[in-house]
Amino acid sequence: MNESQFNLSNLIKSGLGLFLIALPAIAFGHTIEGSDASFVEAIDGPAIFPFMYLGAKHMVTGYDHLLFLVGVIFFLYRPKHVIQYVTLFAIGHSITLLFGVIADLQVNAYFIDTIIGLSIVYKAFENIDGFKRVFGFEPNTKIAVLVFGLFHGLGLATKLQEFDLSDNGLVTNIISFNIGVEIGQILALSAVFILLSLWRTSISYLRHAFITNTALMAGGFLLAGYQISAYVLQPLY
Amino acid sequence: MSNDIPVNAPDPKSILKASAIALVVAAIVTITVILPAEFGSDPLGTGEALGLTVLSKDANPFEEQLEVHRTDFVEFELGAFQSVEYKYLMDLEAAMVFSWVADGEVYYDMHAEPAGFDEEYAESFEQGNNTRQMGSFHAPFSGIHGWFWENRSLDTVTVRLYTSGFYVSSTVFRDGGTFDRQLDSIVD
């Protein structure tokens, strides 16, 4: 890849697109809000389908999780590989989501969301062969996806923990939420995979791969920057 | 990850350059746009220049009210299975605080009817069976706002209502008839 492929106007074009995609996430933050929040607070007892819906909604509208998955499947061409990696991601986040809520694990939400932002940077950096070419080694991609899955799950657990969840039906509700997360993930991933596959048939895919992943990196840094700013500047009350 | 198809590997220099640009772009956007728009911090004055600082202004806890301040106390005696409706005429955004206490359980329905519509357009906010309720109310539209109480027991129950707010007048709906109550302002 030569210098000319890395021209600024292409970067700006792809960057702008990604930025617009990420904007709603930045504008609204990514928490459970409004009437959904009052529902979660009020519920006492098992509520399988509402929690499934909330889990799916959280995933489909969760730009941080989606950007990470775009990075993960960017260079996966075979559905078999997509399923492998996404299963690893799902195992990772299921473990920490279930364990985190049941064990009442309290983690700073800004910290976790910063890590999630940086996981996007990591994945994009890996996609442009950053580790191999710059540092001369390749971390195991499967283990990386699993580990970041653990962090994403901790993020989900933290969002749910912000509510005073009733112990009555807790396990049922968390498992329902988790199943919803997987459903939402399959829905979102199918859309992303189809779009990427369409784009792959055009010659511009590989040409823009480098720039797109650079933009993905910028998006990850931006989400991390947002969370760090929130941690530093948010009033304490 | 790029095992499926060989890709022309970029050289380390452009990888580092791209990463640095990504970091710098994110930092610039964070400092010039996100900080002023979300957190009310504007280190470079870009938020002021782009008019973004308005986004991070918190809602003012103070809210001016235009109607004069009135208070009201009213008492209803409800025989077995009798009911009454009591509503205040309030403008959009007008507020009041209230408490009602009954010496026996009653069915209540706090609701409102927007001005200029038929009675069937009533919007209900809160229903249940109780002996008391306290609350604050913020009129979501102009119209009449208040309660329906029904004594569903065989004993006589007395409901006492205490309110203070920015309503204009009140109306009692009882036994098929209505009558208005004139309420005095507390300041004159």
Side-chain angles (χ1 to χ4, degrees):
Chain A
M1 193 162 283
N2 53 41
E3 279 303 294
S4 72
Q5 283 172 297
F6 188 65
N7 75 46
L8 208 59
S9 87
N10 275 348
L11 178 74
I12 290 169
K13 265 186 252 163
S14 330
L16 197 65
L18 264 174
F19 181 67
L20 290 177
I21 291 170
L23 207 58
I26 293 157
F28 304 116
H30 187 218
T31 51
I32 299 163
E33 285 172 332
S35 60
D36 291 349
S38 41
F39 162 77
V40 174
E41 294 261 281
I43 201 75
D44 182 26
I48 293 174
F49 287 103
F51 271 93
M52 265 171 74
Y53 173 78
L54 285 181
K57 182 176 170 182
H58 190 81
M59 212 59 192
V60 172
T61 60
Y63 295 85
D64 41 359
H65 307 298
L66 290 178
L67 284 182
F68 181 70
L69 288 174
V70 169
V72 169
I73 67 168
F74 198 86
F75 281 118
L76 297 178
Y77 291 79
R78 301 194 184 111
K80 195 183 110 190
H81 291 159
V82 174
I83 291 166
Q84 259 177 20
Y85 276 91
V86 172
T87 305
L88 282 172
F89 184 60
I91 290 171
H93 71 229
S94 301
I95 291 171
T96 38
L97 171 58
L98 294 173
F99 179 75
V101 176
I102 292 165
D104 208 11
L105 214 62
Q106 302 285 348
V107 190
N108 187 299
Y110 300 122
F111 173 71
I112 291 295
D113 284 342
T114 304
I115 305 264
I116 290 175
L118 293 178
S119 73
I120 298 163
V121 175
Y122 175 95
K123 195 62 221 170
F125 189 69
E126 187 188 274
N127 283 352
I128 58 172
D129 276 346
F131 290 106
K132 196 160 73 187
R133 310 280 299 179
V134 177
F135 298 117
F137 77 105
E138 263 189 297
N140 186 311
T141 53
K142 288 184 174 147
I143 291 176
V145 167
L146 181 70
V147 169
F148 282 125
L150 293 172
F151 279 105
H152 281 243
L154 216 48
L156 294 167
T158 309
K159 302 283 152 54
L160 273 179
Q161 300 251 29
E162 284 168 7
F163 304 106
D164 194 14
L165 289 175
S166 162
D167 281 341
N168 185 7
L170 183 65
V171 175
T172 310
N173 289 342
I174 297 309
I175 290 173
S176 307
F177 186 82
N178 200 18
I179 293 170
V181 163
E182 309 310 341
I183 293 171
Q185 187 170 290
I186 289 166
L187 287 175
L189 261 176
S190 313
V192 170
F193 189 68
I194 289 166
L195 288 175
L196 284 181
S197 301
L198 282 174
W199 187 20
R200 272 171 193 147
T201 58
S202 91
I203 192 76
S204 69
Y205 188 70
L206 287 180
R207 195 150 52 83
H208 291 317
F210 185 75
I211 286 157
T212 307
N213 277 291
T214 304
L216 203 58
M217 235 193 286
F221 275 130
L222 199 57
L223 287 170
Y226 180 92
Q227 295 300 333
I228 293 167
S229 310
Y231 179 67
V232 175
L233 296 170
Q234 203 79 283
L236 293 170
Y237 48 86
Chain B
M1 189 70 58
S2 41
N3 303 329
D4 290 8
I5 284 187
V7 181
N8 288 337
D11 62 286
K13 227 180 90 191
S14 40
I15 293 173
L16 284 177
K17 191 176 156 194
S19 309
I21 289 179
L23 181 61
V24 169
V25 167
I28 290 173
V29 174
T30 303
I31 293 167
T32 58
V33 178
I34 294 177
L35 288 188
E38 298 287 333
F39 305 108
S41 164
D42 197 6
L44 300 180
T46 49
E48 204 65 56
L50 298 169
L52 291 170
T53 41
V54 290
L55 294 171
S56 59
K57 293 233 163 41
D58 286 333
N60 193 341
F62 163 73
E63 195 181 308
E64 190 170 18
Q65 297 280 331
L66 302 172
E67 191 57 51
V68 294
H69 189 179
R70 295 181 166 90
T71 56
D72 187 20
F73 166 69
V74 65
E75 199 176 275
F76 300 106
E77 210 179 79
L78 299 176
F81 295 97
Q82 277 194 325
S83 63
V84 67
E85 236 181 284
Y86 189 65
K87 293 207 188 83
Y88 292 106
L89 179 62
M90 294 171 86
D91 257 336
L92 173 71
E93 310 263 274
M96 73 164 158
V97 290
F98 69 86
S99 298
W100 61 260
V101 189
D103 55 8
E105 195 175 86
V106 287
Y107 170 81
Y108 67 93
D109 177 4
M110 188 171 191
H111 64 284
E113 292 162 28
F117 288 86
D118 289 340
E119 212 173 304
E120 58 197 277
Y121 289 102
E123 190 179 329
S124 187
F125 308 117
E126 173 86 14
Q127 300 127 307
N129 293 291
N130 215 333
T131 56
R132 62 192 303 156
Q133 191 166 56
M134 300 166 283
S136 62
F137 181 79
H138 200 93
F141 44 77
S142 298
I144 49 174
H145 307 77
W147 298 263
F148 168 81
W149 288 285
E150 189 170 50
N151 174 13
R152 293 181 174 176
S153 74
L154 294 171
D155 308 315
T156 298
V157 174
T158 306
V159 179
R160 290 184 185 84
L161 173 71
Y162 306 83
T163 69
S164 177
F166 303 93
Y167 36 71
V168 182
S169 63
S170 67
T171 310
V172 181
F173 303 78
R174 189 167 193 173
D175 307 323
T178 67
F179 64 92
D180 290 347
R181 277 161 54 89
Q182 222 51 53
L183 304 170
D184 294 327
S185 155
I186 64 163
V187 283
D188 47 43

